[in-house]
Amino acid sequence: MKNESSNIIEDTIAAIATPLGVGAISVIRVSGSQSFEFVDSIFVGKSKLTMVPSHTIHYGKIIDDDGNLIDDVLISVFKNPQSYTGEDSVEISTHGNPFITKRIIELLLNRGIKLAEPGEFTKRAFLNNRLDLAQAEAVVDIINSRTEASLRGARNQLDGLLSKKVSELRELLINTSSFIELELDFAEEDIQFIRKEELLEKIKLIKKEIDKLLTTYSFGRVIRDGVNVALVGKPNVGKSSLLNYILKEYRAIVSHIPGTTRDVIREDVSIDGILFRLFDTAGIRISEDEIEKEGVIRSREVVKNSDVVCFINDVEQEFDNNIYEELKSLTSETQIISVLNKIDVPHETLQHSDVYISALTGEGIEELFKRLKEVAFGNSNYSEKSATVSNMRHYNCLRKAKVSLINAESSIHNFLSGEYISVDLRNAEISLGEIIGEVTSDDILNNIFAKFCIGK
């Protein structure tokens, strides 16, 4: 599907490594049916861009309407359909001066090119069948990736790992529903093209595969968005010291005075390529100090929204069952890791705990990291190389498809006519199609691509 809409332009700044060091360049991208003609009108090189082969780079100069030199540039040429958007596209690499970039953009705009909307390049790639919708969404995830694991997960989605699985399920569903459609077409002849038992077996198989994808969501979300970890406990048990040790810097104020941390401090850290968001909370206790009381309230909210809770005690104080019971009322007990701190301090016996650490010397920290990953990921055997679901929109579409399949099973068991079964199967097919963009609406597209940066 070739999109012949007006040309678009993108202005981007990048840091590049060169043999002479690191320099800044500006890259202006132009895409559309008249890209070469527009750029040729301001570019002076050995050849006209309309005459050169695709995927070639050309040196030349950008000249304004009065014949003045704007800059020496390199022009990259990409001819349709072998370009990112599937259209004729040009990339102009200039020296990284904002004034130069602005002048070139003005020259192009004066010739009728319009500025790109957010996500317009990727939207055109989708409309021109260069990417499906799930792959297009992965472009944003790649841009926003902050760890190696999230980047690998987004990269695999862009490569079509999830799309392929969804397409296979949708194709199987279409083939299954076609038997029902045929029976409806030959209703007067009372011909049966598929036995009800076989139909139920096919629906069960598709539903099972959808369930497999649904169960990957918690893993995929953690890989994409990171793990929220609350550091919780009584005042002065070493929560801030632990945060500082993990970050290898003096981020939180540490004092022997209870109640030093009044507000929640959030810091991000990558552990084995996985993003962990650490929340150092105010010590949970009864206090008459209004500021500290507000800090305790916020601590409880952090616990509710955390994936993992590190309940920290120390060898100098007894295990606080009251706080532990409160934590269990705020989150699942399986999400709580009991951590005993200050094991470097002389002690006679150690109270039972999941992990024993010293935030001063670092003893036991690696074991804590291991336990954090175990709680965050459970016993899942998934990896970023698996077809995983990390997007809430995809998750909701899969759930809708499953509900429609359950309705279809119910219609079959209740001996309803083929029209009811056909509608249920069609609804499941539509829900799967929404993931990869085979079935979509302008509202969904606008919402997705509005999240992109300008012109990406």
Side-chain angles (χ1 to χ4, degrees), residues 25-188:
I25 64 168
S26 293
V27 178
I28 302 170
R29 295 178 63 194
V30 182
S31 182
S33 59
Q34 293 181 287
S35 298
F36 303 144
E37 289 83 355
F38 276 125
V39 177
D40 266 334
S41 69
I42 64 171
F43 174 69
V44 177
K46 288 185 177 181
S47 305
K48 288 291 185 181
L49 301 181
T50 52
M51 306 301 294
V52 301
S54 181
H55 292 71
T56 54
I57 299 176
H58 306 271
Y59 167 77
K61 302 177 185 297
I62 299 293
I63 306 296
D64 68 13
D65 296 330
D66 296 323
N68 299 314
L69 173 65
I70 302 299
D71 196 18
D72 297 287
V73 299
L74 291 175
I75 301 287
S76 302
V77 175
F78 304 93
K79 296 191 174 182
N80 77 80
Q82 300 302 319
S83 70
Y84 180 73
T85 61
E87 304 168 325
D88 289 338
S89 300
V90 178
E91 291 185 357
I92 307 172
S93 299
T94 76
H95 291 94
N97 185 313
F99 176 75
I100 294 174
T101 305
K102 180 181 178 183
R103 288 288 291 115
I104 296 174
I105 290 175
E106 287 175 348
L107 289 174
L108 292 169
L109 292 179
N110 289 338
R111 282 158 173 75
I113 293 178
K114 75 179 185 70
L115 285 172
E117 299 289 335
E120 191 164 357
F121 276 84
T122 302
K123 185 176 183 179
R124 289 192 174 202
F126 164 69
L127 294 174
N128 291 324
N129 298 319
R130 296 291 290 167
L131 301 170
D132 64 39
L133 199 53
Q135 290 174 302
E137 289 171 296
V139 173
V140 175
D141 291 340
I142 286 177
I143 294 171
N144 294 331
S145 293
R146 298 182 57 191
T147 65
E148 184 180 348
S150 60
L151 178 58
R152 286 199 303 264
R155 181 68 247 184
N156 286 328
Q157 184 173 319
L158 180 59
D159 289 341
L161 212 60
L162 176 64
S163 300
K164 180 182 178 182
K165 185 65 177 179
V166 171
S167 295
E168 289 173 353
L169 291 177
R170 185 169 178 267
E171 185 68 24
L172 182 57
L173 188 55
I174 291 173
N175 292 338
T176 301
S177 60
S178 64
F179 290 111
I180 304 299
E181 299 288 347
L182 280 172
E183 289 184 4
L184 293 175
D185 290 339
F186 292 90
E188 294 182 359

Side-chain angles (χ1 to χ4, degrees), residues 339-385:
V339 180
L340 186 64
N341 189 23
K342 302 183 184 179
I343 60 173
D344 56 286
V345 175
H347 52 273
E348 294 183 1
T349 59
L350 290 177
Q351 56 188 272
H352 175 72
S353 190
D354 296 322
V355 183
Y356 302 87
I357 68 165
S358 168
L360 180 64
T361 66
E363 184 179 354
I365 298 297
E366 287 299 324
E367 182 63 27
L368 176 59
F369 289 167
K370 178 181 177 182
R371 195 60 187 266
L372 283 172
K373 289 184 288 184
E374 287 175 355
V375 174
F377 296 113
N379 296 319
S380 63
N381 295 318
Y382 314 120
S383 72
E384 311 88 87
K385 297 181 180 180

